[in-house]
mmCIF file of all heavy atoms in Angstrom:
data_model
loop_
_atom_site.group_PDB
_atom_site.id
_atom_site.type_symbol
_atom_site.label_atom_id
_atom_site.label_comp_id
_atom_site.label_asym_id
_atom_site.label_seq_id
_atom_site.Cartn_x
_atom_site.Cartn_y
_atom_site.Cartn_z
ATOM 1 N N ILE O 33 -30.204 -9.189 -6.481
ATOM 2 C CA ILE O 33 -30.681 -9.577 -5.181
ATOM 3 C C ILE O 33 -31.842 -8.710 -4.876
ATOM 4 O O ILE O 33 -31.799 -7.411 -4.969
ATOM 5 C CB ILE O 33 -29.597 -9.256 -4.064
ATOM 6 C CG1 ILE O 33 -28.351 -10.218 -4.306
ATOM 7 C CG2 ILE O 33 -30.132 -9.609 -2.648
ATOM 8 C CD1 ILE O 33 -27.176 -9.927 -3.427
ATOM 9 N N LEU O 42 -25.419 -6.426 -8.571
ATOM 10 C CA LEU O 42 -23.957 -6.501 -8.377
ATOM 11 C C LEU O 42 -23.265 -6.820 -9.591
ATOM 12 O O LEU O 42 -23.519 -7.926 -10.197
ATOM 13 C CB LEU O 42 -23.561 -7.470 -7.213
ATOM 14 C CG LEU O 42 -24.474 -7.444 -5.950
ATOM 15 C CD1 LEU O 42 -23.877 -8.448 -4.915
ATOM 16 C CD2 LEU O 42 -24.415 -6.004 -5.365
ATOM 17 N N GLN O 193 -16.923 -18.139 -10.283
ATOM 18 C CA GLN O 193 -16.979 -18.566 -8.950
ATOM 19 C C GLN O 193 -15.854 -19.508 -8.530
ATOM 20 O O GLN O 193 -15.255 -19.342 -7.448
ATOM 21 C CB GLN O 193 -18.386 -19.206 -8.611
ATOM 22 C CG GLN O 193 -18.647 -19.489 -7.131
ATOM 23 C CD GLN O 193 -18.670 -18.295 -6.308
ATOM 24 O OE1 GLN O 193 -19.388 -17.331 -6.629
ATOM 25 N NE2 GLN O 193 -17.924 -18.252 -5.176
ATOM 26 N N ASP O 197 -13.044 -18.735 -5.539
ATOM 27 C CA ASP O 197 -12.876 -19.622 -4.338
ATOM 28 C C ASP O 197 -11.418 -20.032 -4.203
ATOM 29 O O ASP O 197 -10.869 -20.075 -3.114
ATOM 30 C CB ASP O 197 -13.806 -20.858 -4.468
ATOM 31 C CG ASP O 197 -15.227 -20.569 -4.197
ATOM 32 O OD1 ASP O 197 -15.493 -19.389 -3.724
ATOM 33 O OD2 ASP O 197 -16.041 -21.276 -4.619
ATOM 34 N N LYS O 211 -6.956 -11.977 5.404
ATOM 35 C CA LYS O 211 -8.200 -12.115 4.746
ATOM 36 C C LYS O 211 -9.364 -11.304 5.415
ATOM 37 O O LYS O 211 -10.177 -10.678 4.811
ATOM 38 C CB LYS O 211 -8.647 -13.500 4.558
ATOM 39 C CG LYS O 211 -9.920 -13.800 3.740
ATOM 40 C CD LYS O 211 -10.168 -15.228 3.593
ATOM 41 C CE LYS O 211 -11.627 -15.507 2.910
ATOM 42 N NZ LYS O 211 -12.615 -15.166 3.897
ATOM 43 N N ASP O 216 -13.065 -9.874 4.232
ATOM 44 C CA ASP O 216 -14.297 -10.039 5.119
ATOM 45 C C ASP O 216 -14.938 -8.702 5.530
ATOM 46 O O ASP O 216 -16.063 -8.523 5.358
ATOM 47 C CB ASP O 216 -14.036 -11.038 6.220
ATOM 48 C CG ASP O 216 -13.554 -12.448 5.736
ATOM 49 O OD1 ASP O 216 -13.835 -12.742 4.581
ATOM 50 O OD2 ASP O 216 -13.069 -13.124 6.550
ATOM 51 N N ASP O 219 -16.220 -6.655 2.782
ATOM 52 C CA ASP O 219 -17.455 -7.245 2.299
ATOM 53 C C ASP O 219 -18.683 -6.743 3.108
ATOM 54 O O ASP O 219 -19.773 -6.400 2.655
ATOM 55 C CB ASP O 219 -17.480 -8.831 2.375
ATOM 56 C CG ASP O 219 -16.628 -9.385 1.320
ATOM 57 O OD1 ASP O 219 -16.290 -8.688 0.354
ATOM 58 O OD2 ASP O 219 -16.328 -10.623 1.402
ATOM 59 N N GLN O 220 -18.438 -6.797 4.477
ATOM 60 C CA GLN O 220 -19.510 -6.277 5.383
ATOM 61 C C GLN O 220 -19.767 -4.809 5.221
ATOM 62 O O GLN O 220 -20.983 -4.337 5.095
ATOM 63 C CB GLN O 220 -19.090 -6.559 6.752
ATOM 64 C CG GLN O 220 -18.953 -8.038 7.224
ATOM 65 C CD GLN O 220 -18.288 -8.246 8.543
ATOM 66 O OE1 GLN O 220 -18.122 -7.283 9.253
ATOM 67 N NE2 GLN O 220 -17.846 -9.457 8.808
ATOM 68 N N SER O 223 -21.443 -4.164 1.711
ATOM 69 C CA SER O 223 -22.879 -4.648 1.689
ATOM 70 C C SER O 223 -23.830 -3.724 2.454
ATOM 71 O O SER O 223 -24.928 -3.445 1.945
ATOM 72 C CB SER O 223 -23.028 -6.151 2.286
ATOM 73 O OG SER O 223 -22.672 -6.043 3.645
ATOM 74 N N HIS O 242 -15.182 -9.685 -4.214
ATOM 75 C CA HIS O 242 -16.128 -9.317 -3.088
ATOM 76 C C HIS O 242 -17.454 -9.832 -3.245
ATOM 77 O O HIS O 242 -18.250 -9.795 -2.258
ATOM 78 C CB HIS O 242 -16.071 -7.816 -2.965
ATOM 79 C CG HIS O 242 -14.859 -7.105 -2.406
ATOM 80 N ND1 HIS O 242 -14.422 -7.325 -1.097
ATOM 81 C CD2 HIS O 242 -13.864 -6.445 -3.013
ATOM 82 C CE1 HIS O 242 -13.302 -6.762 -0.913
ATOM 83 N NE2 HIS O 242 -12.881 -6.186 -2.103
ATOM 84 N N VAL O 243 -17.912 -10.244 -4.493
ATOM 85 C CA VAL O 243 -19.193 -10.562 -4.771
ATOM 86 C C VAL O 243 -19.724 -11.744 -3.888
ATOM 87 O O VAL O 243 -20.745 -11.680 -3.301
ATOM 88 C CB VAL O 243 -19.438 -10.861 -6.226
ATOM 89 C CG1 VAL O 243 -20.901 -11.356 -6.470
ATOM 90 C CG2 VAL O 243 -19.221 -9.584 -6.963
ATOM 91 N N PRO O 244 -19.016 -12.860 -3.739
ATOM 92 C CA PRO O 244 -19.522 -14.032 -2.937
ATOM 93 C C PRO O 244 -19.711 -13.600 -1.507
ATOM 94 O O PRO O 244 -20.696 -13.968 -0.870
ATOM 95 C CB PRO O 244 -18.349 -15.077 -3.064
ATOM 96 C CG PRO O 244 -17.707 -14.691 -4.326
ATOM 97 C CD PRO O 244 -17.765 -13.187 -4.475
ATOM 98 N N GLY O 245 -18.734 -12.779 -0.929
ATOM 99 C CA GLY O 245 -18.887 -12.344 0.534
ATOM 100 C C GLY O 245 -20.084 -11.458 0.683
ATOM 101 O O GLY O 245 -20.816 -11.519 1.681
ATOM 102 N N ILE O 246 -20.313 -10.525 -0.275
ATOM 103 C CA ILE O 246 -21.423 -9.575 -0.178
ATOM 104 C C ILE O 246 -22.777 -10.318 -0.233
ATOM 105 O O ILE O 246 -23.752 -9.978 0.466
ATOM 106 C CB ILE O 246 -21.310 -8.376 -1.214
ATOM 107 C CG1 ILE O 246 -20.139 -7.543 -0.930
ATOM 108 C CG2 ILE O 246 -22.596 -7.645 -1.412
ATOM 109 C CD1 ILE O 246 -19.787 -6.584 -2.000
ATOM 110 N N LYS O 247 -22.898 -11.316 -1.112
ATOM 111 C CA LYS O 247 -24.037 -12.109 -1.156
ATOM 112 C C LYS O 247 -24.371 -12.734 0.173
ATOM 113 O O LYS O 247 -25.605 -12.944 0.468
ATOM 114 C CB LYS O 247 -23.866 -13.255 -2.260
ATOM 115 C CG LYS O 247 -23.967 -12.679 -3.619
ATOM 116 C CD LYS O 247 -23.443 -13.768 -4.671
ATOM 117 C CE LYS O 247 -24.397 -15.001 -4.673
ATOM 118 N NZ LYS O 247 -23.998 -15.970 -5.611
ATOM 119 N N GLU O 248 -23.410 -13.076 0.944
ATOM 120 C CA GLU O 248 -23.593 -13.712 2.220
ATOM 121 C C GLU O 248 -23.919 -12.654 3.328
ATOM 122 O O GLU O 248 -24.754 -12.935 4.195
ATOM 123 C CB GLU O 248 -22.309 -14.493 2.768
ATOM 124 C CG GLU O 248 -22.086 -15.804 1.926
ATOM 125 C CD GLU O 248 -20.828 -16.472 2.423
ATOM 126 O OE1 GLU O 248 -20.343 -16.023 3.513
ATOM 127 O OE2 GLU O 248 -20.449 -17.516 1.850
ATOM 128 N N GLN O 249 -23.346 -11.488 3.193
ATOM 129 C CA GLN O 249 -23.525 -10.452 4.258
ATOM 130 C C GLN O 249 -24.684 -9.526 3.987
ATOM 131 O O GLN O 249 -24.963 -8.798 4.907
ATOM 132 C CB GLN O 249 -22.160 -9.698 4.290
ATOM 133 C CG GLN O 249 -20.959 -10.490 4.692
ATOM 134 C CD GLN O 249 -21.006 -10.949 6.078
ATOM 135 O OE1 GLN O 249 -21.724 -10.448 6.910
ATOM 136 N NE2 GLN O 249 -20.232 -12.092 6.358
ATOM 137 N N ILE O 250 -25.218 -9.454 2.786
ATOM 138 C CA ILE O 250 -26.119 -8.475 2.461
ATOM 139 C C ILE O 250 -27.370 -8.400 3.328
ATOM 140 O O ILE O 250 -28.088 -7.398 3.556
ATOM 141 C CB ILE O 250 -26.570 -8.568 0.905
ATOM 142 C CG1 ILE O 250 -27.112 -7.208 0.412
ATOM 143 C CG2 ILE O 250 -27.523 -9.627 0.711
ATOM 144 C CD1 ILE O 250 -26.117 -6.168 0.140
ATOM 145 N N ARG O 251 -27.746 -9.578 3.831
ATOM 146 C CA ARG O 251 -29.024 -9.646 4.648
ATOM 147 C C ARG O 251 -28.715 -9.463 6.114
ATOM 148 O O ARG O 251 -29.692 -9.548 6.952
ATOM 149 C CB ARG O 251 -29.669 -10.988 4.396
ATOM 150 C CG ARG O 251 -30.094 -11.229 2.884
ATOM 151 C CD ARG O 251 -30.966 -12.351 2.669
ATOM 152 N NE ARG O 251 -31.060 -12.615 1.165
ATOM 153 C CZ ARG O 251 -31.850 -11.834 0.372
ATOM 154 N NH1 ARG O 251 -32.694 -10.891 0.912
ATOM 155 N NH2 ARG O 251 -31.870 -12.087 -0.979
ATOM 156 N N GLU O 252 -27.444 -9.253 6.491
ATOM 157 C CA GLU O 252 -27.156 -8.992 7.846
ATOM 158 C C GLU O 252 -26.913 -7.496 8.081
ATOM 159 O O GLU O 252 -26.638 -6.732 7.159
ATOM 160 C CB GLU O 252 -25.825 -9.713 8.245
ATOM 161 C CG GLU O 252 -25.880 -11.222 7.939
ATOM 162 C CD GLU O 252 -26.775 -11.948 8.988
ATOM 163 O OE1 GLU O 252 -26.920 -11.346 10.095
ATOM 164 O OE2 GLU O 252 -27.340 -13.031 8.622
ATOM 165 N N GLU O 253 -27.067 -6.979 9.317
ATOM 166 C CA GLU O 253 -26.806 -5.591 9.626
ATOM 167 C C GLU O 253 -25.397 -5.517 10.147
ATOM 168 O O GLU O 253 -24.950 -6.277 10.962
ATOM 169 C CB GLU O 253 -27.797 -5.102 10.687
ATOM 170 C CG GLU O 253 -29.217 -4.953 10.128
ATOM 171 C CD GLU O 253 -29.282 -3.843 8.957
ATOM 172 O OE1 GLU O 253 -28.730 -2.773 9.070
ATOM 173 O OE2 GLU O 253 -29.891 -4.190 7.941
ATOM 174 N N HIS O 254 -24.706 -4.442 9.699
ATOM 175 C CA HIS O 254 -23.306 -4.298 10.161
ATOM 176 C C HIS O 254 -23.135 -2.840 10.599
ATOM 177 O O HIS O 254 -23.637 -1.879 10.041
ATOM 178 C CB HIS O 254 -22.361 -4.579 8.893
ATOM 179 C CG HIS O 254 -22.568 -5.838 8.292
ATOM 180 N ND1 HIS O 254 -22.155 -7.003 8.919
ATOM 181 C CD2 HIS O 254 -23.173 -6.305 7.228
ATOM 182 C CE1 HIS O 254 -22.479 -8.096 8.270
ATOM 183 N NE2 HIS O 254 -23.059 -7.681 7.144
#
Side-chain angles (χ1 to χ4, degrees):
I33 299 172
L42 314 181
Q193 184 66 48
D197 287 342
K211 183 175 176 291
D216 296 342
D219 287 347
Q220 296 168 12
S223 65
H242 289 290
V243 174
I246 290 174
K247 285 169 62 178
E248 291 182 6
Q249 300 292 338
I250 200 77
R251 302 189 188 282
E252 303 291 332
E253 288 299 314
H254 303 286

